[in-house]
């Protein structure tokens, strides 16, 4: 299976676990925090800068104002005109394109589906789940109280959506941005892995 797989996910849906298990099943590299380490090394930015970039996107309007107008597509602006977070996003995107060019892999989050949207050998997946399933996972895996889990589901999803919507100028979670959308609370984690594997196989 000569495919790159990107996985976008709601918080608590198990998307990262699904991605990790899929990579293991297919015998290909898995990239999540590894992207940050590599991007930091190649760009010279601190790893903390990459980790904090998405966390700033809790309010879409304030985030857009703080970041300024998205000027990626304006050659007259030049790279130096971009904010630090914009440059971090571009450095991270460059690493995503590099790992995809190196061969089959699974990439979780970080707007990878948008960064690689024009490549023919990529399958984009979105993982979502019912609220109670997500709360239970947040409590069990992340050690949160129920109240904190409910708060985190709203806060982290909003943050991911704002970050994605700003940098991609598209809508996070919208069906047409992905090849496959899976409700993990319906099929379970392991079955979700198998569904993606089968989907890839059918498309070859």
């Amino acid at each position: 299976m000569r495919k790159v797989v990107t996985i976008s996910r709601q918080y608590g849906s198990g998307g990262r676990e699904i991605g990790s298990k899929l990579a293991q099943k297919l015998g290909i590299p898995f990239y999540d925090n590894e992207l940050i380490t590599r991007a930091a090394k190649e760009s010279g930015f601190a790893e903390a800068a990459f980790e904090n970039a998405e966390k700033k996107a809790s309010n879409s309007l304030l985030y857009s104002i703080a970041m300024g107008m998205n000027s990626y597509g304006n050659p007259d602006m030049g790279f130096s005109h971009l904010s630090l977070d914009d440059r971090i996003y571009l450095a991270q995107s460059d690493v995503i394109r590099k790992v995809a060019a190196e061969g089959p892999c699974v990439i979780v989050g970080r707007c990878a589906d948008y960064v690689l949207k024009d490549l023919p050998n990529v399958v984009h997946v979105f993982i979502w789940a019912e609220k109670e399933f997500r709360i239970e996972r947040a409590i069990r895996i992340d050690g949160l109280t129920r109240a904190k889990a409910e708060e985190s589901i709203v806060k982290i999803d909003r943050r991911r959506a704002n970050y994605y919507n700003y940098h991609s100028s598209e809508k996070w979670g919208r069906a047409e941005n992905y090849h496959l959308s899976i409700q993990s609370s319906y099929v379970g984690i392991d079955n979700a892995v198998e569904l993606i594997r089968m989907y890839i196989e059918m498309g070859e």
Side-chain angles (χ1 to χ4, degrees):
M1 294 182 181
R2 307 299 296 173
K3 295 287 186 182
V4 172
V5 181
T6 71
I7 294 184
S8 303
R9 76 284 187 219
Q10 291 181 329
Y11 172 69
S13 66
R16 189 186 188 282
E17 182 180 351
I18 289 168
S20 178
K21 287 186 173 182
L22 177 66
Q24 187 175 17
K25 179 181 281 283
L26 299 180
I28 59 179
F30 173 72
Y31 294 104
D32 183 15
N33 293 331
E34 296 84 356
L35 286 173
I36 290 178
T37 300
R38 180 163 170 177
K41 182 177 180 180
E42 294 187 9
S43 68
F45 293 122
E47 285 192 35
F50 289 90
E51 294 170 351
N52 292 331
E54 187 180 291
K55 293 180 181 178
K56 296 179 182 178
S58 57
N59 183 291
S60 59
L61 176 60
L62 295 178
Y63 185 64
S64 296
I65 292 172
M67 296 284 279
M69 293 299 290
N70 187 325
S71 54
Y72 300 145
N74 189 341
D76 296 328
M77 291 291 194
F79 185 78
S80 61
H81 175 79
L82 299 176
S83 70
L84 174 61
D85 284 352
D86 280 337
R87 282 180 278 169
I88 286 171
Y89 169 78
L90 291 176
Q92 184 172 264
S93 298
D94 185 53
V95 169
I96 289 172
R97 282 187 285 267
K98 285 181 178 178
V99 299
E102 290 169 1
C105 61
V106 176
I107 305 172
V108 173
R110 297 182 171 79
C111 301
D113 61 290
Y114 179 76
V115 173
L116 303 177
K117 68 174 184 176
D118 294 324
L119 295 184
N121 66 324
V122 184
V123 171
H124 304 301
V125 181
F126 189 84
I127 306 295
W128 64 284
E130 292 181 338
K131 183 178 179 181
E132 196 57 39
F133 179 88
R134 299 165 67 192
I135 290 173
E136 186 277 328
R137 283 185 62 87
I139 293 172
R140 175 167 52 86
I141 296 175
D142 294 339
L144 305 182
T145 63
R146 183 177 181 87
K148 187 64 176 178
E150 292 181 348
E151 177 187 333
S152 295
I153 283 172
V154 174
K155 184 176 181 180
I156 294 175
D157 276 3
R158 181 190 301 124
R159 194 166 66 198
R160 287 175 178 173
N162 290 340
Y163 183 83
Y164 181 92
N165 297 348
Y166 172 82
H167 287 292
S168 73
S169 298
E170 294 188 7
K171 295 296 182 183
W172 182 76
R174 180 176 266 171
E176 55 263 41
N177 292 337
Y178 311 95
H179 295 97
L180 186 63
S181 177
I182 299 176
Q183 183 183 357
S184 55
S185 55
Y186 181 76
V187 300
I189 299 299
D190 291 337
N191 284 336
V193 173
E194 185 61 15
L195 277 172
I196 300 171
R197 187 198 66 77
M198 291 171 62
Y199 183 88
I200 296 170
E201 191 174 71
M202 286 186 287
E204 295 203 325

